[in-house]
Amino acid sequence: MALVSAPPQARAERPGADVSEAGYPSPRRAWWSVFVLTALYSLSLLDRHIIALLVHDIRADLHISDFQMGLLQGVGFALFYVTFGLLFGWVIDRFSRRGVVFLGVTVWSLATAACGLARNFGQLVGARFGVGAGEAALNPAAYSIISDTFPRRRLSLAISVFGTGANLGGGLSLLLGGFLITVLPKDGVTLPVLGHLQAWRVVFLAAGLPGLLIVLLIWTAPDPRRRERLLGATSLRDTLAFVRGRWRFFSGHFLGFALLAASANGYQAWAPTYLMREFGMPVTQVVSILAPISLLAGVTGSIFAGYVTDRWFARGRADAHLRFFIFATAVQLVGLCVAMTSRRLEVFVPFVIVAHLAGGFAGVAPAALQLTTPNNYRGQVSAAYLFVFNLVGMGLGPTMVGALTTWVFRDDAKVGWAVATNSLIVLPLAIVAFACSLAPMRRAVAQASAWSVQDAPRAARAVD
């Protein structure tokens, strides 16, 4: 791949070496940008997962099943996320990335608040559609911004710090939801204009509306100039040719990390319900267990994965991002299966911690795409990745757990076994996908290091 800012003869000697680090934002501005984007990512996960604490109250109020709750947390969210993600990917490669983020955060914040006003299952599904459509804007834009803000050899760590927003948002959803459920009256509250609302409805309002103010921070973050662009490669046809030429790498990468997400989202959507049903815990106790695990172990795992893959990549291991998760996925599988089938809390906690430490893929996965994709295509390739990632990860994971509980085990008390079964199905398939993509990733990285500006049309057609 060519660097527009570098002469054609400039080449990186190793996959992780930078052609040039000149012209990047200062470290202070670069990390401020990551901080702002991470805060917004945390907000998106908070708004996405707050529903997991409200399963009991929503079911009781709207008279719906576990399967319908799985749809709300899975397919009902993912369908609009992936559909709008493809549109936003095209827009991000051509227009203001900060403007796209501002629009997306505004939409999902209003839609989250609208969840609290839904009077039936259909209205709640419609509001979740809005949450998914808005959240689809953030990640492709963030990946593109960060990849232009940090040198290649530091990119995995920077995007992994951004990826900790998933853990921060998951933990904050537990903390905020648990706090509000504790302090709000059991019979709800009466608000001006809106009238009397049950407690679970107020939780949605409290989670959604602050985003309308927090989103203003995006205008304080730099939107750096786009670098590593191929000349003469701007059309959708060019993008499709580029992806087809590296389909072995992209298919294995997309599928592998999507299956990891199916396991992670299945666990995250149903773990609070599992603890309530298996151990008879109140929401406050569930929060006191799950929130620290998500915040501490989850964040540590994400940063560790980014640090290790950056080190491996800088030393010349071009397939570091996939190789690392072949091992980490095996560890995660053991952790989740033991934890979710145990009837002892002292077993559940340590094995869930192990699973979180091994499951920090939120930064490494997109970093691999930025390292193998020129700037012209990054928004679109990231959106395509998120299409598969979320359709499988969010659409399949929570929905499959609900379906297994309702139709296979036919017992609400078996939700833990449903989570374990889901992971036992999808995680071995993820390992196979990664293993099949090691060589294609090495070739993709080699091509990315070798292209010149003059080679752009030929590079777009290169195949692995």
Side-chain angles (χ1 to χ4, degrees), residues 255-447:
L255 180 60
F257 285 110
L259 291 170
L260 260 62
S263 172
N265 282 295
Y267 159 79
Q268 189 161 23
W270 291 101
T273 302
Y274 164 73
L275 291 179
M276 293 176 195
R277 292 177 182 176
E278 182 67 36
F279 301 101
M281 292 181 181
V283 170
T284 52
Q285 190 175 357
V286 169
V287 168
S288 69
I289 292 173
L290 295 182
I293 293 175
S294 179
L295 290 170
L296 298 177
V299 169
T300 301
S302 183
I303 293 176
F304 176 74
Y307 174 80
V308 171
T309 52
D310 264 350
R311 299 274 290 184
W312 287 4
F313 189 76
R315 292 175 179 174
R317 192 176 290 278
D319 58 9
H321 301 71
L322 302 185
R323 186 174 296 275
F324 178 88
F325 276 99
I326 289 178
F327 302 107
T329 301
V331 174
Q332 187 180 10
L333 175 61
V334 174
L336 282 176
C337 286
V338 173
M340 300 307 297
T341 57
S342 172
R343 305 192 67 177
R344 298 169 58 190
L345 196 59
E346 60 269 27
V347 174
F348 171 84
V349 170
F351 277 91
V352 163
I353 290 174
V354 168
H356 273 273
L357 290 172
F361 58 87
V364 171
L369 298 179
Q370 313 311 304
L371 291 168
T372 54
T373 305
N375 208 311
N376 312 60
Y377 314 135
R378 282 177 182 165
Q380 295 162 88
V381 169
S382 294
Y385 158 65
L386 291 169
F387 180 94
V388 178
F389 180 87
N390 289 300
L391 189 62
V392 175
M394 287 188 290
L396 177 65
T399 305
M400 181 180 288
V401 173
L404 287 168
T405 305
T406 302
W407 292 327
V408 176
F409 294 105
R410 298 180 181 274
D411 183 354
D412 286 354
K414 294 291 186 181
V415 67
W417 281 90
V419 172
T421 301
N422 176 55
S423 296
L424 195 59
I425 294 170
V426 300
L427 291 184
L429 294 176
I431 293 174
V432 172
F434 291 144
C436 291
S437 298
L438 292 176
M441 182 173 182
R442 291 194 294 270
R443 290 193 291 270
V445 170
Q447 290 168 353

Side-chain angles (χ1 to χ4, degrees), residues 126-383:
R128 290 290 287 178
F129 282 170
V131 177
E135 290 190 9
L138 177 61
N139 283 38
Y143 300 153
S144 180
I145 290 171
I146 295 173
S147 66
D148 288 332
T149 303
F150 288 84
R152 287 163 60 85
R153 65 185 176 87
R154 298 174 182 160
L155 188 58
S156 293
L157 179 59
I159 297 184
S160 291
V161 172
F162 168 74
T164 63
N167 305 104
L168 294 172
L172 289 174
S173 70
L174 294 170
L175 292 173
L176 176 65
F179 171 76
L180 291 175
I181 290 170
T182 301
V183 301
L184 289 172
K186 296 292 184 182
D187 57 350
V189 297
T190 301
L191 299 177
V193 181
L194 298 178
H196 185 79
L197 297 176
Q198 293 97 327
W200 69 266
R201 299 179 182 278
V202 179
V203 173
F204 275 120
L205 292 173
L209 294 179
L212 300 177
L213 294 176
I214 298 173
V215 68
L216 297 176
L217 287 174
I218 191 60
W219 302 114
T220 70
D223 191 354
R225 69 177 179 85
R226 299 174 189 262
R227 55 185 79 236
E228 298 178 352
R229 295 179 65 85
L230 291 174
L231 299 181
T234 58
S235 69
L236 180 60
R237 180 178 298 178
D238 293 327
T239 307
L240 293 175
F242 174 83
V243 173
R244 282 197 302 269
R246 293 145 192 87
W247 69 270
R248 290 182 178 86
F249 164 62
F250 285 123
S251 59
H253 176 288
F254 287 11
L255 180 60
F257 285 110
L259 291 170
L260 260 62
S263 172
N265 282 295
Y267 159 79
Q268 189 161 23
W270 291 101
T273 302
Y274 164 73
L275 291 179
M276 293 176 195
R277 292 177 182 176
E278 182 67 36
F279 301 101
M281 292 181 181
V283 170
T284 52
Q285 190 175 357
V286 169
V287 168
S288 69
I289 292 173
L290 295 182
I293 293 175
S294 179
L295 290 170
L296 298 177
V299 169
T300 301
S302 183
I303 293 176
F304 176 74
Y307 174 80
V308 171
T309 52
D310 264 350
R311 299 274 290 184
W312 287 4
F313 189 76
R315 292 175 179 174
R317 192 176 290 278
D319 58 9
H321 301 71
L322 302 185
R323 186 174 296 275
F324 178 88
F325 276 99
I326 289 178
F327 302 107
T329 301
V331 174
Q332 187 180 10
L333 175 61
V334 174
L336 282 176
C337 286
V338 173
M340 300 307 297
T341 57
S342 172
R343 305 192 67 177
R344 298 169 58 190
L345 196 59
E346 60 269 27
V347 174
F348 171 84
V349 170
F351 277 91
V352 163
I353 290 174
V354 168
H356 273 273
L357 290 172
F361 58 87
V364 171
L369 298 179
Q370 313 311 304
L371 291 168
T372 54
T373 305
N375 208 311
N376 312 60
Y377 314 135
R378 282 177 182 165
Q380 295 162 88
V381 169
S382 294

